[in-house]
Amino acid sequence: MTAYFRPTSLDEALAIRAGREVEIIAGGTDVYPNKATRAGWGRMAHKDVLDITAIPGLDRIEEADARWRIGCLVTWTKLIRSSLPALFDGLKAAGREIGGQQIQNRATLVGNLCTASPAGDGIPNLIALDAEVEIASLRGTRVEPVEAFLDGYRHTSCAADEIVTGLCIPKREAEARGAFLKLGARRYLVISIVMVAGVVEIDSAEAIAHARVAAGACSPVAMRLRALEARLMGAPLGAVPALIRPEDFAELSPLDDVRASAAYRLAAAEALMRDLLAGFADWRERRAA
Amino acid sequence: MTVHEPPPAAATIALALIVNGEPRSVQAGPFETLADVLRDRLGLTGTKIGCNAGDCGACTVLVDGAQVCACLVAAAQAHGADVHTVEGPGPDGITERLRRAFLVHGAAQCGICTPGMLMAATDLLARDMAPTRAAIEDALGGVLCRCTGYVKIVEAVMSVSPLPDVRGAGGEGARSPQKAPRSRPAPAGTGVPSPLPLSHPGEGSVGARLPRLDGWAKVAGTDKFGADEAPADSLWLRVVRSPHARAAFVLGDLEAFRASWPGLEAIVTAADVPGENSFGIFPNTKDQPVFALVEVRFRGEAVLGLVGTREAIERIEEADVPITWTPLRPLAGIEAALADRALAIHAGRPDNVLTRGQLRCGDNPAKAPAQAAATVEGQFRTRFVEHAYIEPEAGYAVPIDDDRIEVFACTQAPYMDRDDTARVLGISPGKVRIRPSACGGGFGGKLDLSVQPLLAVAAWKAKRPVRMVYSRIESMASSTKRHPAQIRARASADAKGRLLAFESAADFNTGAYASWGPTVANRVPVHASGPYRVPNVENRTRAIYTNDTPAGAFRGFGVPQAAIAHECLMDDLAEKLGIDRWAIRRLNALGKGDRTPSGQLLAASAGLPDCLDALKADWDAALARVAAHNAAAPRRRRGVGIACMWYGCGNTALPNPSAMRMALSRDGTLTFFNGAVDIGQGSTTVLTQIAADALGVPPDAFRLVIGDTALTEDAGKTSASRQTFVSGKAAMLAGRDLRRKILALGNVGESATIILDGAVLVIREGEVRRRIELASLATDADGLVLEGQGAYDPPTTALDADGQGVPYATYGFAAQMAEVEVDTVLGTTKVMRIVAAHDVGRAINPTLVEGQIHGGIAQGLGLALMEEFVPGRTENLHDYLIPTVGDMPEVAVKLIEDPEPEGPFGAKGVGEPALIATAPAILSAIRHATGVTMREVPVLPHRLWEALRAREGSR
Ligand SMILES: Cc1cc2nc3c(=O)[nH]c(=O)nc-3n(C[C@@H](O)[C@@H](O)[C@H](O)COP(=O)(O)OP(=O)(O)OC[C@H]3O[C@@H](n4cnc5c(N)ncnc54)[C@H](O)[C@@H]3O)c2cc1C
Ligand code: FES
Ligand code: FES
């Protein structure tokens, strides 16, 4: 029989986590579907469950001097409706494309990260945002960059006694903007065939001061495209789409599956990235107009 | 031996929540879902479960003012929450207003998605009373509907006006939802008062946009689907199914296993089947076991059943059940099954060919006629397609007096269920009663037995009521699919474009069991050359056994697959001959006075030329629009395509009878006994409209008794677009029969009017006015004083060895055009607009007819662009994609009414015709946009991208 814990403080939750093997549940939008998938073929047992949703204070979006902090119970809807700056536009766009509104109303960003699906729409954005993951346990609190936190296919560094308490996103000196594009075989409720995310900082000369771009669903863990990032540095905004080269995507290792072929994924990643960068250029023009 | 302890009683918690404004407290398991709490613990079965995984949205409710999937919310998380379900009026009465709008607009067909849709729309309107269309799509995007194509749902939501209309349908009820609505009551038998007028006094009801007679229960959440009721003392059945596509197995010590699990009352296997352990559609194809005996032939085949308390059966790990598997190499796909020395999947079919079908007329088309100016050919391929009805199979069985059984379940074919269930139990059909539940979508998939024999065998052994609900995965893994087809076809035409010859050979993967494979093999040869005049035709088909999921009936019985081939060839010919695609179809279209390839003379109701003419202006405009758009050679190129179809209504060259009955009792109750199951398409309403006009009373004069094998006559199955045509005719005859008897009683002529005034019949003809006290008439044992009967079997003949004869009494015809935009870089296709012209004979209820066409278009779009069932890979609704509200194009429907003299008031069927032309029209449009001809569906983005790239390479 599955035991169910619903503590009302983080300390209590950490003690439970330290004391036994439990699966954390937040929005439940991955936990329940996984349960249904297992039960579909007769695997009925479920780990004990630690429900963290009664812990106060974890559902906040907070601004500090150098960073924003997104608590682990912040849902996609809460993020979408927040007044975060354009830096977060990509993350918000991902939120709007996650499932339908029923899902967005329950699902948390941190749950999306912890599931660590190669097709998790939040993940390339968090990579592009240079987010850090804040992780607590009775042993103390640690902070780790998102790229390190995601340490394998559907795997994270979150230990059995740890709970992710939030995400920290550094503020940018220059004007910054995020963007996200997703490709799926239908509108709404669709797992990405490919998606790309990017954050660019723009200097006063209308050139890229800094860029982080990533692609998802093309490798076991969403990946930064560092060669492209390097080439974008200093480039005038209007010129960026032309800077893409096929070899920028060489490190991706997409799979053939029921949704698409590997070759297609690679080509689509490149095409989407070109569109994403073109979007940055347009945005600049629209602002100027 | 270990005995597994039952779960401790303290495993539940006390939940307090507010449901529809009322505080409720209930004990529940903390990890149980809110959906289960609402349905099982609070009896609020209006919230539906279609997948238990967030994928379908049927369970959508509001929690603290936001729409959520109740199947993803832990009971513990709902503690203290403010919950709104479909049963309530919604915040500010919004749900109540939407309910009425859904009813008026025909937004609920089968009704299984309706509660979810209503709640999602409530969430939107509570935040924004004047939403844009985009906002509506965003709000409804998480709820799947398989019936309506979302068109009327969006219309209904848009119609709920920003300001409460205190006089209109929305106002009053919205304020005081508990109060019975004002207007006249619905016919008894539908159970709930309807808030809407059900007839238009002074007019005939045929042709009227009557709201569904069974609609109120659907929008109120009170309709009972297969999972929504069962006797309180029911045990639960869980079926263990093969995880292997082909395997031998041995069962271990089941009794010891049973004894080790408290609450596990029985295990049922093949050994417990009292009669024949087999079922199937035709007397000579009953090849599917209820429970496999020693080997399984597909992944998902039933092996044994666990019968016990729900807690007990849901705790058992399948790996612990003593079954020893020996997996064997499966024959996956047609090539494997036809390969040299391939093992026979069924004894008696050494070549794995289940059936062959053929049609031949004129000269051998292989010798292309001398005057042929163009000959074109192609190979086509389609995949398994899942019905994806939102209601998984469910029901219960109750054994009665040791020798009878009653089954309540979702079905399209109660009489066939009755006969096969009786056969499985080894009792006479009269001892089986099938009570169809409301059917949450069928589309052909609920024509086969599913839960019925499993429940019957389990209840027979347990001697108790037994219920079961398929999980989504179980439903998708075990139920039938659309046949994958491999088609080779060739056509030739003269220089003017007149078809001279058509030839095709089609192989259909029928999976592990026969199901409706023979029907597909027999129907396709008749239709495969398309709705055109062709003098020389040879069409051959085979249904092939494989170790894949059984393929059966799915909206069109193979004709949608064949249409993809013949319509592509029409485009090929047009291109080769330099003729407009519309024009070549118009030139060849079958019309009145033409003969079909089976030699049948179309004496009436052959409205394809009219359908095409109705599209002409749109066609020309779209061609111009698209050309203008593409002039700058943009990345997103547009295209317009066109396709025609035809479809014979009813069984192919087989008897296809239906019988209807209506009766007047001494107290003045007029009852319509209608054995046709309404699976959402609207037969309950349509047949009543027909019956009403035939008798000469308003439709709300009837009490309705629908589809119950103990109470109604055999109306045959709800399939093959036959209920309006065949059962509708029987209903018309029954109405006329009763009318004749009443008029005879009054000794008046045909033009007399009949008014039922309580227990008095008032008959008027001119100045003559007669009152007949019903109580004064002779009464039969059931208290009936007058009865009208109607039976109809459409006139068809058997087909000879060359497929010549009259396979159907009438055909539905249609032409559709599609406008698409293709992203040539990504290979994605967005369907922007579809115009559909359908010859329906007579639209008995235009709202319902449009609803069928919208839904068919959505399914055709899915077939064309996204749907592909891969056994073991896409057996859930997040890997198997069906269109959402955001995928639907703008749709315009043009109804052509070329009356069918055989049909009731001129009507014929539309259920399947709705879907058939859509996919080929989309393929035609993609080709127009890109120059690439896709001969394989679904056109997933990567497939189109590969084709585009291949063309670039070849340039
Ligand atoms: C119908 C449907 C459509 C979807 N569509 C999309 C989509 O388009 N794109 C997409 O990216 N995703 C999609 N998802 C998945 C998405 O909803 C989830 O990834 C979601 O964001 C997870 O959040 P949650 O709060 O629901 O997580 P839960 O299900 O509660 O948890 C998810 C996992 O994270 C762990 N976890 C949660 N919180 C913590 C924590 N604080 N510390 C440590 N571990 C934790 C849990 O143990 C579990 O393993 C979809 C899901 C559904 C059901
Ligand atoms: S989404 Fe909950 S049942 Fe399908
Ligand atoms: S009416 Fe929507 S699924 Fe049937």
Side-chain angles (χ1 to χ4, degrees), chain A residues 41 44-45 186-188 264, chain B residues 138 317 826 875 882 884:
Chain A
W41 290 100
M44 313 305 282
R186 74 173 170 195
R187 184 90 176 88
Y188 304 115
Y264 173 72
Chain B
D138 282 348
E317 285 293 305
L826 291 172
E875 53 196 19
I882 66 171
T884 69

Side-chain angles (χ1 to χ4, degrees), chain A residues 1-6 23 25-47 49 51-53 77 81 96 99-106 183-191 193 256-269 271-272 274-275, chain B residues 7-8 11 30-33 51-55 57 60 63 66-69 71-74 76-77 123 127 134 137-139 141-144 238 241-243 299-300 314-318 471 473 477 635 825-828 866 870 873-875 877-879 881-882 884-887 940-942 945-946:
Chain A
M1 191 64 193
T2 307
Y4 194 95
F5 302 93
R6 194 161 194 255
E23 178 172 21
I25 183 170
T29 64
D30 282 325
V31 169
Y32 278 105
N34 289 341
K35 179 171 182 272
T37 300
R38 288 193 305 269
W41 290 100
R43 287 184 292 144
M44 313 305 282
H46 199 282
K47 267 195 208 166
V49 178
D51 179 345
I52 57 172
T53 59
T77 298
R81 294 190 186 157
R96 282 188 213 98
Q101 288 182 359
Q102 295 93 325
I103 304 300
Q104 295 159 21
N105 285 340
R106 299 290 296 181
L183 174 66
R186 74 173 170 195
R187 184 90 176 88
Y188 304 115
L189 294 175
V190 69
I191 302 171
I193 295 172
D256 280 319
D257 67 11
V258 290
R259 280 186 276 279
S261 64
Y264 173 72
R265 281 199 162 91
L266 263 190
L272 286 184
R274 190 164 281 123
D275 290 347
Chain B
F31 195 37
E32 233 175 86
T33 65
C51 70
N52 249 324
D55 297 319
T60 300
V63 169
Q67 60 166 315
V68 304
C69 295
C71 73
L72 302 181
V73 176
Q77 295 178 332
D123 174 56
R127 284 180 285 116
E137 290 188 4
D138 282 348
V143 191
L144 299 178
R238 176 177 146 206
R241 297 181 178 274
S242 169
R299 172 181 159 95
E314 287 186 352
R315 283 174 72 205
I316 296 171
E317 285 293 305
E318 214 146 285
S471 73
I473 291 171
R635 161 175 165 183
V825 172
L826 291 172
T828 49
M866 62 182 82
V870 185
R873 301 281 296 282
T874 60
E875 53 196 19
L877 292 176
H878 53 265
D879 291 317
L881 302 182
I882 66 171
T884 69
V885 66
D887 297 306
L940 295 174
H942 71 102
W945 174 80
E946 273 152 24

Side-chain angles (χ1 to χ4, degrees), chain B residues 223-246:
Chain B
D223 215 2
K224 296 295 180 202
F225 293 87
D228 293 341
E229 68 167 57
D233 61 339
S234 297
L235 293 173
W236 285 74
L237 170 63
R238 176 177 146 206
V239 170
V240 173
R241 297 181 178 274
S242 169
H244 307 289
R246 185 166 159 247

Side-chain angles (χ1 to χ4, degrees), chain A residues 17 23-34 52 72-73 76 94 97-100 103 106-115 119-122 149 158 162-165 182 189-192 195, chain B residues 53-56 72 878:
Chain A
R17 192 85 167 130
E23 178 172 21
I24 294 174
I25 183 170
T29 64
D30 282 325
V31 169
Y32 278 105
N34 289 341
I52 57 172
C72 69
L73 293 180
W76 289 106
E97 299 234 22
I98 284 187
I103 304 300
R106 299 290 296 181
T108 62
L109 278 69
V110 166
N112 190 255
L113 174 68
C114 291
T115 289
D121 287 325
F149 178 75
C158 183
E162 290 181 320
I163 296 176
V164 175
T165 48
K182 164 171 175 169
L189 294 175
V190 69
I191 302 171
S192 295
M195 71 285 203
Chain B
D55 297 319
C56 74
L72 302 181
H878 53 265

Side-chain angles (χ1 to χ4, degrees), chain B residues 357-382:
Chain B
Q358 68 172 355
L359 178 145
R360 213 177 283 134
C361 75
D363 298 332
N364 179 358
K367 297 185 242 136
Q371 66 275 44
T375 295
V376 294
E377 61 188 329
Q379 296 204 31
F380 303 86
R381 181 162 180 210
T382 74

